[in-house]
Structure formats: structure tokens, C-alpha cells
Amino acid sequence: MRCGAVASGVVKRLYVKRIGNIKMKRQERIDRVDLMRTFIRIVEAGSLSAAARQLVTTQATVSRRLQSLETLLGVKLLLRTTHAMKLTDDGERCYQHAKRVADAWVALEDELSQSADEPVGILRVRAPHAFGQEQLLGPLTEFLVRHPQLSVEWMLNDKKVDFLSVNIDCAIRVGAEVDPTTVSVLLAEVPRSLVASPALLARFPAIETPQQLSALPWIALNTFYQHEIHLTHQQTGDAEQVPISPRLFTDSLYAARNTAISGLGLVVISSWMVEEDIHSGKLVALLPEWQAAPLPVHLVYPWARYYPARLRKFLQLMREVMPGLGGMRQPARQA
């Protein structure tokens, strides 16, 4: 009798587990918006594994949701091999429709929340390292205090943004070219200064013309220049192209500033970064009448039929505060 009871219990547990799995699968098939969101993330992330990481779930779950959507629609959406993934024609149509449905659902969620203008949820933002740490943390903190139902993922990265492969809502870009496949809102300009340490300048004859700059060692911010700099006279409009031989190439404003202070070389750098150093005498501004072109600051985000309140409010914040930040100014064409 004891063996029979144990066997009966095992069978019962297996049956309950099987019924539970069936219910889970049925529930996923019913939650069509979630299935479509998962499909969108698979397409934009480029693989099931990348989508799983961005959705903070397992690859098996993502695969199961994809299969559920394909079963629900009765079509094959993706063709997969070991190393590649490709949308079918039906998959491409499904992706476009799913994007519209997902946007509409976000709009509905916003409308049914406390207020259509009250930002809720998580806003994912990418910003340049130095800029995101030094200039924007104050406005960001005040923004979060004003909107207690909002959270922000503040990711600092100077690389170009690929919205199809990373799960972010918008990015702040300094000096980047406008990408026609995205919405790029010009917020401000970053003036730049040509600076060097007093100790370095003491080793060379006084600098009176742009062409003399070629004889000095340089630090290159390789995001913006590497082997030459372009300077324009602010009164006459004359332009000079100056070849340089950098001792250091870097994409870090911090590294460029600190090595310039140490006397390694000259650098053309964002003025806000060295304002206090010039005032304290750690750095000297050279040829102030000759300036490198200011760098544009854009807020960039992907095209969509609807933008949630959290993104709209953040754009409004950036429009308001960016030109007034230390060392920044209104874009010339908006001045």
C-alpha cells in the first residue's frame, strides 16, 4: 500500500506540473502585447540571447514566446541558423504592425495613469562620460525629485548609439553628426578652448600665430580630431588648418585635461572642463582670438508614432537647462 501511495503522489505532482506548464503557455499566448514586445526586442537586439539579456529573462522564455506568437499568427516570423537571424516577409510585416501596436499600448498606459503628462516607468538615457557626470547630474536629480513615479537608467558611454541593438530611449550626443534615421534635437553648443600648462609653454618660444602650434607636443581627443586642428579668427573669419603630432590619443576629457595640466602637451578641449583650471593658473588659454568650432549637443531618439510622457518631459528639461549650463551656450542659429 505504501509503494502505491508514493507512486500515486508522484503521478499527481507530475500532472499538476504539466497542467501548470500548459496554463503558462496558454497565458503567454493570450498576452499578445507582451508577445509582440518580445518579438520587437528580438528583432532590434539581433538575437534571442541579446533580447533575453535586455528583457532580464532566459533565452528559453524568449524562444517560447516567439513560438507562441508564430503559432498564434500561423506564420513563420524568423529564419534562424547558428550564426544568423533573418526576418521572413511575414516577419517584416509583423514587426511593423507590432511597433504600431506597442506604441499605441504605451499611449494607452500613459492616458490611464494619473495624468497623461505625468512621467512614469523607466527612462533609459545614454550620455557622454564627463558630461553626464559633471554637467547633468544636478538637473537630472531635480527632475527625479519632481516626478516621483519615474526612474532613470543613466548610462555613461561616449560611443555612437545604435538604437536597434541597445535598449535605450534616448541619448545625449556631443559633436556627433546628425543621423537621418533618428530624431535629433539641437539643444546647445559647447565652446572649446586651446590650452596648455605654464610649465610646457616655458620650454618654447611665445606662441603668436596658429602655425607655431605645430612645433609643440599635443594631446588629441580622437573623437573630434587626431592629426590636425581647424581654427577660425573670431574677428576676421580667417581660417587656419594646423597639422599636429600628438603624444597621446584619448577619448576621455578627464585624461586630456589631466595630462595637459601635467605638461604633456597642448589640447583643444570643451571650455567648461578647463574653466576653473584657467582661472587658477593651472592652464593657460592660447590665442583666444583663434577658436575651434563649438561642438553641437543633440538629444537623439528613434522615430515612433507616439512618445511617452517620460521622454517628452525629459526633452523639455534638456531644452530648458542645457544652454544655461556652465560653459554652454545657445546654438548660433537659435541665438
Side-chain angles (χ1 to χ4, degrees), residues 30 69 78 92 121 162 176 179 192 194 237 242 272 285:
I30 293 170
L69 185 60
L78 288 175
E92 179 63 39
D162 181 359
D179 183 350
R192 292 189 286 172
L194 170 60
V242 182
W272 66 265

Side-chain angles (χ1 to χ4, degrees), residues 126-128 131 136 154 171-174 297-299 314 318 322:
R126 179 184 285 184
F131 202 52
L136 295 176
W154 192 245
I172 297 166
R173 299 288 290 145
V174 176
V297 183
H298 290 92
L299 184 71
F314 185 72
M318 291 295 101
M322 191 71 73

Side-chain angles (χ1 to χ4, degrees), residues 222-285:
N222 55 14
T223 311
F224 308 116
Y225 62 92
Q226 295 187 31
H227 303 295
E228 62 184 18
I229 60 166
H230 298 264
L231 301 174
T232 302
H233 196 282
Q234 298 306 290
Q235 277 72 48
T236 66
D238 293 340
E240 289 282 352
Q241 181 175 308
V242 182
I244 62 174
S245 299
R247 298 293 312 283
L248 174 70
F249 297 86
T250 180
D251 63 354
S252 167
L253 287 179
Y254 292 119
R257 168 190 172 269
N258 292 338
T259 51
I261 290 174
S262 73
L264 181 65
L266 280 68
V267 66
V268 172
I269 193 169
S270 299
S271 297
W272 66 265
M273 189 75 176
V274 293
E275 217 166 32
E276 291 185 9
D277 299 318
I278 294 172
H279 183 71
S280 66
K282 292 180 181 178
L283 291 171
V284 176

Side-chain angles (χ1 to χ4, degrees), residues 155-199:
M155 294 164 279
L156 303 183
N157 191 313
D158 294 299
K159 296 180 181 179
K160 182 180 178 181
V161 183
D162 181 359
F163 287 102
L164 293 180
S165 61
V166 293
N167 186 24
I168 62 172
D169 297 298
C170 62
I172 297 166
R173 299 288 290 145
V174 176
E177 294 182 0
V178 174
D179 183 350
T181 64
T182 64
V183 181
S184 295
V185 180
L186 182 61
L187 301 171
E189 288 181 344
V190 183
R192 292 189 286 172
S193 298
L194 170 60
V195 296
S197 71

Side-chain angles (χ1 to χ4, degrees), residues 27-46:
Q27 184 177 5
E28 283 195 336
R29 285 198 293 270
I30 293 170
D31 191 356
R32 301 182 183 190
V33 173
D34 192 43
L35 296 184
M36 285 188 286
R37 282 175 169 166
T38 301
F39 178 61
I40 291 168
R41 185 51 44 204
I42 293 169
V43 174
E44 296 183 350

Side-chain angles (χ1 to χ4, degrees), residues 46-324:
S47 69
L48 271 67
S49 57
R53 287 193 298 272
Q54 293 179 12
L55 293 169
V56 194
T57 188
T58 65
Q59 185 171 339
T61 298
V62 170
S63 178
R64 188 171 65 248
R65 291 177 186 173
L66 173 61
Q67 291 171 11
S68 295
L69 185 60
E70 289 179 328
T71 300
L72 184 68
L73 298 175
V75 296
K76 190 73 174 174
L77 300 175
L78 288 175
L79 299 176
R80 287 183 289 157
T81 65
T82 307
H83 304 291
M85 183 186 78
K86 181 181 178 182
L87 280 171
T88 64
D89 290 342
D90 289 327
E92 179 63 39
R93 286 194 292 273
C94 178
Y95 172 69
Q96 297 301 332
H97 282 287
K99 287 282 285 183
R100 289 194 288 271
V101 170
D103 289 343
W105 188 259
V106 171
L108 176 62
E109 287 178 331
D110 270 4
E111 236 177 78
L112 297 180
S113 63
Q114 287 188 353
S115 167
D117 287 329
E118 177 60 28
V120 297
I122 299 176
L123 180 70
R124 297 172 177 86
V125 184
R126 179 184 285 184
H129 266 108
F131 202 52
Q133 291 182 54
E134 300 287 343
Q135 298 285 77
L136 295 176
L137 282 184
L140 176 66
T141 302
E142 293 176 9
F143 183 62
L144 288 170
V145 170
R146 286 203 305 270
H147 303 294
Q149 295 187 73
L150 178 70
S151 298
V152 172
E153 284 190 24
W154 192 245
M155 294 164 279
L156 303 183
N157 191 313
D158 294 299
K159 296 180 181 179
K160 182 180 178 181
V161 183
D162 181 359
F163 287 102
L164 293 180
S165 61
V166 293
N167 186 24
I168 62 172
D169 297 298
C170 62
I172 297 166
R173 299 288 290 145
V174 176
E177 294 182 0
V178 174
D179 183 350
T181 64
T182 64
V183 181
S184 295
V185 180
L186 182 61
L187 301 171
E189 288 181 344
V190 183
R192 292 189 286 172
S193 298
L194 170 60
V195 296
S197 71
L200 175 67
L201 296 176
R203 292 161 34 202
F204 295 89
I207 301 297
E208 298 177 352
T209 67
Q211 290 305 324
Q212 289 178 278
L213 297 171
S214 293
L216 276 67
W218 274 81
I219 300 157
L221 276 163
N222 55 14
T223 311
F224 308 116
Y225 62 92
Q226 295 187 31
H227 303 295
E228 62 184 18
I229 60 166
H230 298 264
L231 301 174
T232 302
H233 196 282
Q234 298 306 290
Q235 277 72 48
T236 66
D238 293 340
E240 289 282 352
Q241 181 175 308
V242 182
I244 62 174
S245 299
R247 298 293 312 283
L248 174 70
F249 297 86
T250 180
D251 63 354
S252 167
L253 287 179
Y254 292 119
R257 168 190 172 269
N258 292 338
T259 51
I261 290 174
S262 73
L264 181 65
L266 280 68
V267 66
V268 172
I269 193 169
S270 299
S271 297
W272 66 265
M273 189 75 176
V274 293
E275 217 166 32
E276 291 185 9
D277 299 318
I278 294 172
H279 183 71
S280 66
K282 292 180 181 178
L283 291 171
V284 176
L286 298 175
L287 303 177
E289 68 277 14
W290 289 93
Q291 292 187 11
L295 300 174
V297 183
H298 290 92
L299 184 71
V300 184
Y301 49 93
W303 288 98
R305 293 170 63 89
Y306 173 82
Y307 299 108
R310 55 184 174 270
L311 178 56
R312 288 186 275 113
K313 287 291 186 179
F314 185 72
L315 172 58
Q316 180 183 342
L317 171 75
M318 291 295 101
R319 283 184 183 275
E320 291 171 357
V321 306
M322 191 71 73

